[in-house]
Amino acid sequence: MDFREVMRLRRMHRSFLPDPLSEGQIARIVDVIRHSPSGGFSQGGSIVVVTDTAVRFEIARAFTDNDPESGESYIAVAPVHLVISANEALYHARYNEPDKLAVTGGAEIRWPVPYWFVDAGAVMMAVLMAAIDEGLASAFIGHPDQKRILDGLLGLPAEVVPIGVALVGKPGEAPDIGSRLRARRRAEADLVHRGRW
């Protein structure tokens, strides 16, 4: 599929079919992590693939008030949950290696923004694009207490911080909200500034 077509089709789905995905589809989607941007090639992003129904239902139960057994929770229905995380410690370790310290005069760089989260966001977007490329639907969700919730359910190490969960599956029937979204879409001139603000 052409990249611009993938971007045009990208949206946050709220309706999935419960049909399982093939291992090949899942493998191709998560493989994008190996080619996603990573500051200094720190490789601090990670993905936990969750397909177990009971665990998916626990995530849905913790993230919403909907009963996952009711069939009304699109989170529970999505057959694949991809928990995307960042590990800040790997960035500090990488930027304290000799080649990086040689460039900075022996001190770790001053991080202007937390690039571990920037890179995890790039992984998230790559995962959503890869799902579309497979002909699937996707969404990205988060919860204010997701670290505690996902640590408990998935045994994440203390230094691994989940940025959220990508839901992937075959698209279900969803209401057409395209015209409403188009009306809310900001003009390009409000988003893109050329030369200066």
Side-chain angles (χ1 to χ4, degrees):
M1 190 179 297
D2 178 78
F3 176 73
R4 284 178 178 74
E5 179 68 6
V6 170
M7 283 299 293
R8 191 186 66 72
L9 293 173
R10 194 218 59 77
R11 70 180 192 84
M12 298 300 175
H13 282 260
R14 297 294 185 260
S15 178
F16 296 92
L17 298 177
D19 310 356
L21 303 184
S22 74
E23 284 302 316
Q25 287 177 305
I26 297 170
R28 285 187 297 274
I29 292 168
V30 299
D31 187 55
V32 298
I33 195 170
R34 296 176 56 240
H35 305 285
S36 293
S38 171
F41 204 49
S42 301
Q43 303 175 79
S46 60
I47 300 173
V48 177
V49 179
V50 179
T51 56
D52 180 80
T53 301
V55 178
R56 289 185 359 254
F57 277 29
E58 285 303 314
I59 292 171
R61 190 172 284 114
F63 274 46
T64 69
D65 293 332
N66 294 341
D67 175 14
E69 314 252 347
S70 70
E72 295 175 17
S73 171
Y74 70 94
I75 298 172
V77 173
V80 178
H81 291 189
L82 303 174
V83 178
I84 300 169
S85 299
N87 185 337
E88 177 181 350
L90 293 176
Y91 286 75
H92 294 298
R94 173 67 184 108
Y95 277 84
N96 277 287
E97 291 180 8
D99 65 319
K100 293 297 185 186
L101 293 176
V103 174
T104 61
E108 182 179 353
I109 65 166
R110 190 178 128 284
W111 295 90
V113 296
Y115 279 103
W116 37 96
F117 292 127
V118 173
D119 290 351
V123 170
M124 178 267 292
M125 192 65 173
V127 162
L128 298 179
M129 298 290 109
I132 293 168
D133 195 47
E134 290 288 327
L136 301 170
S138 61
F140 189 73
I141 59 170
H143 186 280
D145 203 16
Q146 63 195 17
K147 172 70 173 152
R148 182 192 60 78
I149 292 166
L150 297 170
D151 279 3
L153 290 173
L154 305 175
L156 301 180
E159 68 276 9
V160 171
V161 178
I163 66 161
V165 181
L167 308 173
V168 180
K170 295 176 183 171
E173 198 170 313
D176 180 18
I177 57 172
S179 59
R180 186 178 64 181
L181 290 180
R182 277 190 295 279
R184 293 186 59 199
R185 191 179 306 271
R186 293 175 64 195
E188 181 181 340
D190 294 335
L191 303 171
V192 178
H193 308 279
R194 300 187 186 271
R196 58 181 295 142
W197 195 278

